[in-house]
Amino acid sequence: MCGKRPSTILTDQDHAMAAALSVVMPETFHGLCTFHIRSNFMKHLGNHYKENSDLPYMFGACMYEFEEVEQFNRVWEAMVKKHNLENNEWLSGLYRIRDKWARCMMKERWTAGMRSTQLSESLNAAIKNHLKLDHDLVQFFRHFNRVVDEKRHNELIAEYEMRQNLPMVGLRQTPILVHASETYSPTVFVAFQNEYGESTAMIILRQQDAAMIVEFAVMRYDGGPERIVVFNRNDLSVRCSCKKYENEGILCGHALKVFDTVGIKIIPPEYIKRRWTKRARAGECFDRRRREVVADPKIMISTRYRELAPAMIKVATRAAMSEDTSKVAITVISDLAKRVELLLSESEEQPLQNQKNLNMEERDKVEIVNEMGEAVVVRE
Ligand SMILES: [Zn+2]
């Protein structure tokens, strides 16, 4: 992975994977998928709670809500006692590995905000949609490639739209929001904007100065937990006790409140994770032998073809409605063809019909649309 090890791997509590990860990737944090833990909870403890029982809520709070270890331990002990679970082996075993799934134990671990194996599960589901039991290995890989190509195509469209449209910024006079809108991808910008909104609800309870270090106690105006934000005047760094930045890579409302207080009006570069920016895919990538990884030209050609073909067919469908429009279309298409050939002869790219690399399967999958934009033929 470009010479880097993953910081975190989430699994579904598979013992063989746990053993292998501790040997092969000892520096990588191994977390457990909370979706699978909840499923196992129902399997092992389903008979322990009746209607209106607070057992699942107490368990869920221990997993997702508590940020402090003391709070987690207090509620866990109360839950075990109240529901007579002292001798439940599954629950005792889960408690022993709480550093892999309890929020309070994981808040300093980088997870990009994920707590489950959602990404691999959604890929599994997408592949299953294209598979049948009687497919052989070649058919499997053909369908697998289609799923991967489809995902890459969607990614390209999302990237194109992101470059064309800036997200709506409610407060155009707020420099840090404008900076965030120009920097982050649309999804991350919304998350950042929410944190900025939170920061406006924060108050500073007290402030302690010690040379270059300033310690702020920050809390929401209407209550909630108190957070300690440590600001360093020397390097303008900030650390909040909620650990949102360490965990998700987005500054929290507490830290943004302190930045605003000390007069920092744009996001300092060291707090911009490249993976959350519009430039996440830019730059060079090397494999483990230090060879540069380049984008697959076949995918680029078929992606462009998929965008162009329906547009051209749509024009042809409309132009065919009358002789005049048909003549105009032929003249324009003839000029267009000459310009395309000229440009191709000037560049290194070859004309489409001579491209041996063009994936014919991809071409055959293209939808033909009518003038209303509806699919009328799907070549398969
Ligand atoms: Zn915070």
Side-chain angles (χ1 to χ4, degrees), residues 302-358:
S302 52
T303 300
R304 291 194 291 258
Y305 181 84
R306 280 197 209 184
E307 286 173 11
L308 284 170
M312 301 291 268
I313 290 164
K314 201 170 173 180
V315 170
T317 310
R318 290 296 290 157
M321 303 301 276
S322 84
E323 203 170 335
D324 287 346
T325 51
S326 184
K327 279 180 185 167
V328 169
I330 285 172
T331 310
V332 173
I333 289 168
S334 172
D335 288 346
L336 179 65
K338 283 177 193 161
R339 287 188 63 184
V340 167
E341 290 304 327
L342 186 66
L343 281 170
L344 286 174
S345 64
E346 287 170 0
S347 71
E348 290 177 1
E349 293 195 61
Q350 296 301 305
L352 200 61
Q353 64 269 30
N354 293 339
Q355 265 291 348
K356 288 178 184 171
N357 284 337
L358 177 61

Side-chain angles (χ1 to χ4, degrees), residues 227 229 240-244 252-255:
R227 302 289 178 215
V229 181
C240 179
S241 59
C242 81
K243 308 290 183 193
K244 187 179 177 70
C252 60
H254 319 107

Side-chain angles (χ1 to χ4, degrees), residues 3 12 21 49 53 66 69 90 94 96 106 116 124 152 196 211 220 222 272 285 292 312 324 352:
D12 59 359
L21 283 169
Y49 68 90
S53 167
F66 303 134
V69 176
W90 179 79
L94 196 65
R96 282 195 291 276
M106 293 174 64
S116 68
N124 290 349
R152 285 181 175 154
Y196 179 80
R220 269 189 68 97
D222 54 357
I272 300 173
C285 183
E292 191 181 345
M312 301 291 268
D324 287 346
L352 200 61

Side-chain angles (χ1 to χ4, degrees), residues 45-107:
L45 297 174
N47 59 342
H48 273 77
Y49 68 90
K50 303 164 192 72
E51 209 177 331
N52 300 324
S53 167
D54 59 2
L55 178 59
Y57 301 104
M58 291 175 94
F59 183 77
C62 287
M63 190 148 61
Y64 296 113
E65 285 180 26
F66 303 134
E67 293 180 11
E68 304 305 327
V69 176
E70 296 76 26
Q71 200 180 11
F72 169 88
N73 283 335
R74 202 167 51 244
V75 174
W76 186 271
E77 280 169 24
M79 176 185 78
V80 169
K81 199 172 172 187
K82 185 175 178 183
H83 296 278
N84 299 317
L85 295 167
E86 287 90 347
N87 298 320
N88 187 288
E89 279 184 30
W90 179 79
L91 202 65
S92 304
L94 196 65
Y95 181 78
R96 282 195 291 276
I97 51 169
R98 59 196 179 283
D99 58 321
K100 293 181 185 291
W101 55 268
R103 183 180 177 186
C104 62
M105 309 290 282
M106 293 174 64
K107 64 182 184 180

